[in-house]
């Protein structure tokens, strides 16, 4: 990609990267809590969407998105969020996953116990 | 119609304050050199001739080289006339992006569309094709169908839409909003897409 395009995008990306509430360190396999502002009539409230990140697309660009998958009442729900999004209030990483690939599409074919992701034990740096 | 000449750099997307994600194109616009000012007395009409892009001196024809030397500028790749420019421009002067364009302006962008090669009527003119794969159709799914009647007129009318070369022609896109002007780097961000490939020359008309 052209350096000049990166220059334009950096301005928008840095706003999100410098936002302390938004933790962008997650990867595929991690569990995240995404707090989204939604409008209902005149009222605005924050909704939580918690699940496993199954992919991050177009990293480090203005068009970067990530997909979060969760099982809600036995029904799988996937939601795609743009990283640069004014309605995202907060992102928390709740668990690091140990996975071997960047796109966890295989989780879609699995149910119950086999659809789990192993936890990655992060050793504290000395 | 004032305007400038520039180069397409590429596309990205930008989140507006209203929370909308807008696809936009980054253009390098100018600096353009004024090579000639046409007047009503001398040329019969008023216009300003701008030049953009560097070209090697050995690749410029002698008559054009003389034209550039007269204006006192280095040889340029593209020359365009603009009809109504604000007065006060002088030959040899440089015009930058910020002199003409401001954020929020609406511009028309002219470029040469990407060449598509020899294409059939479905892609070239949005014909529907046959629409069915069964009922006796085995090799005419994207065929144009009839191109006219029989013995009267016993010829095909001129301008009948048929397969042929597509793309590579002058295309104007109207009413693109200027989202951002970076005057120090001569960059302009416009909403929407712009005809042509990356690094192809575009004309912005305001």
């Amino acid at each position: 990609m052209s350096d000049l395009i990166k220059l334009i995008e950096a301005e928008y990306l840095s706003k999100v990267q410098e936002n302390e509430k938004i933790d962008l360190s997650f990867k595929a396999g991690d569990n995240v809590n995404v707090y989204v502002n939604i409008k209902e009539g005149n009222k605005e409230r924050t909704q939580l969407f918690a699940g496993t990140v199954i992919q991050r697309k177009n990293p480090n660009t203005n068009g970067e998105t990530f997909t979060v998958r969760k099982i809600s009442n036995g029904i799988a729900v996937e939601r795609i969020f743009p990283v640069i999004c004014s309605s995202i209030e907060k992102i928390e990483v709740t668990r690091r996953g140990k996975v071997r690939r960047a796109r966890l599409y295989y989780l879609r074919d699995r149910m119950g116990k086999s659809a789990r992701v192993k936890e990655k034990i992060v050793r504290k740096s000395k | 119609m004032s305007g400038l000449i520039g180069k397409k750099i590429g596309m990205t997307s930008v989140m507006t304050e209203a929370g909308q994600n807008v696809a936009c194109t980054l253009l390098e616009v100018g600096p353009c050199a004024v090579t000639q000012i046409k007047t009503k007395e001398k040329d019969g009409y008023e216009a300003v001739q701008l030049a953009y892009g560097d070209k090697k001196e050995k690749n410029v024809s002698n008559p054009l080289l003389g034209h550039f030397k007269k204006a006192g500028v280095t040889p340029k790749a593209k020359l365009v006339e603009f009809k109504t420019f604000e007065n006060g421009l002088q030959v040899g002067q440089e015009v930058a992006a910020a002199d003409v364009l401001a954020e929020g302006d609406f511009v028309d962008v002219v470029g040469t569309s990407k060449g598509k090669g020899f294409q059939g009527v479905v892609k070239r003119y949005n014909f529907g094709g046959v629409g069915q794969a069964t009922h006796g159709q085995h090799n005419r799914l994207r065929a144009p169908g009839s191109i006219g009647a029989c013995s009267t007129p016993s010829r095909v009318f001129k301008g009948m839409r048929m397969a042929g070369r597509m793309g590579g022609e002058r295309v104007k896109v109207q009413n693109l909003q200027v989202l951002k002007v970076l005057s120090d780097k001569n960059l302009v961000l416009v909403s929407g897409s712009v005809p042509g490939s990356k690094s192809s020359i575009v004309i912005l008309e305001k």
Side-chain angles (χ1 to χ4, degrees), chain A residues 15-75:
Chain A
K15 265 186 210 167
V16 178
Q17 283 161 353
E18 285 163 13
N19 190 339
E20 285 178 2
K21 281 182 172 177
I22 294 176
D23 185 0
L24 286 178
S25 64
F26 60 85
K27 291 176 176 173
D30 295 354
N31 281 18
V32 289
N33 288 347
V34 186
Y35 295 86
V36 197
N37 283 332
I38 51 170
K39 262 189 181 172
E40 285 171 338
N42 297 326
K43 276 191 207 164
E44 199 168 292
R45 67 182 182 90
T46 309
Q47 195 184 48
L48 168 68
F49 194 93
T52 314
V53 177
I54 61 168
Q55 62 180 347
R56 281 183 81 161
K57 278 192 166 181
N58 307 318
N60 299 321
T61 67
N62 260 9
E64 178 173 2
T65 58
F66 59 95
T67 307
V68 183
R69 181 184 169 88
K70 72 165 181 180
I71 311 290
S72 171
N73 297 330
I75 294 164

Side-chain angles (χ1 to χ4, degrees), chain B:
Chain B
M1 178 193 75
S2 65
L4 281 169
I5 318 166
K7 194 171 83 172
K8 178 170 167 178
I9 288 173
M11 291 191 72
T12 177
S13 63
V14 153
M15 188 66 86
T16 61
E17 282 172 19
Q20 271 185 321
N21 204 3
V22 180
C24 50
T25 312
L26 189 63
L27 306 170
E28 188 190 84
V29 180
C32 298
V34 181
T35 45
Q36 195 181 1
I37 291 174
K38 300 205 166 179
T39 57
K40 197 139 200 173
E41 298 84 54
K42 204 176 176 192
D43 307 285
Y45 64 99
E46 288 191 342
V48 172
Q49 192 186 62
L50 296 182
Y52 169 81
D54 291 324
K55 205 172 180 185
K56 278 184 186 164
E57 200 170 317
K58 68 176 177 89
N59 295 331
V60 183
S61 68
N62 268 331
L64 211 49
L65 201 60
H67 184 66
F68 288 125
K69 277 198 175 145
K70 195 178 165 191
V73 297
T74 52
K76 303 283 183 190
K78 180 83 177 170
L79 287 168
V80 180
E81 274 183 17
F82 295 96
K83 286 250 165 76
T84 58
F85 229 94
E86 77 264 38
N87 294 322
L89 288 180
Q90 284 175 343
V91 172
Q93 191 186 333
E94 279 207 336
V95 186
D99 299 341
V100 181
L101 302 168
E103 273 175 39
D105 284 352
F106 285 92
V107 291
D108 297 347
V109 181
V110 182
T112 307
S113 63
K114 280 183 186 173
K116 307 281 189 297
F118 192 99
Q119 294 296 334
V121 287
V122 172
K123 189 181 177 77
R124 198 175 180 210
Y125 294 114
N126 294 326
F127 279 22
V130 168
Q132 275 183 328
T134 62
H135 289 283
Q137 317 296 344
H138 70 98
N139 58 358
R140 55 193 80 246
L141 223 58
R142 297 169 71 90
S146 166
I147 56 168
C150 192
S151 56
T152 38
S154 69
R155 63 190 175 88
V156 173
F157 289 124
K158 272 190 176 175
M160 182 61 60
R161 293 175 297 169
M162 292 192 190
R165 284 274 184 100
M166 185 186 171
E169 51 189 17
R170 183 190 160 98
V171 178
K172 183 189 275 189
V173 186
Q174 293 180 314
N175 285 331
L176 301 181
Q177 193 170 21
V178 176
L179 300 174
K180 202 176 265 287
V181 178
L182 294 182
S183 53
D184 53 333
K185 290 206 157 56
N186 282 309
L187 293 174
V188 171
L189 196 68
V190 296
S191 67
S193 57
V194 161
S197 59
K198 285 176 198 170
S199 82
S200 66
I201 282 182
V202 291
I203 303 165
L204 277 80
E205 296 172 352
K206 189 183 153 193

Side-chain angles (χ1 to χ4, degrees), chain A residues 61-95:
Chain A
T61 67
N62 260 9
E64 178 173 2
T65 58
F66 59 95
T67 307
V68 183
R69 181 184 169 88
K70 72 165 181 180
I71 311 290
S72 171
N73 297 330
I75 294 164
V77 181
E78 278 181 20
R79 196 161 165 189
I80 303 167
F81 295 100
V83 163
I84 300 178
C85 179
S86 50
S87 59
I88 292 184
E89 174 82 23
K90 193 161 90 168
I91 301 176
E92 292 170 345
V93 183
T94 52
R95 181 176 179 263

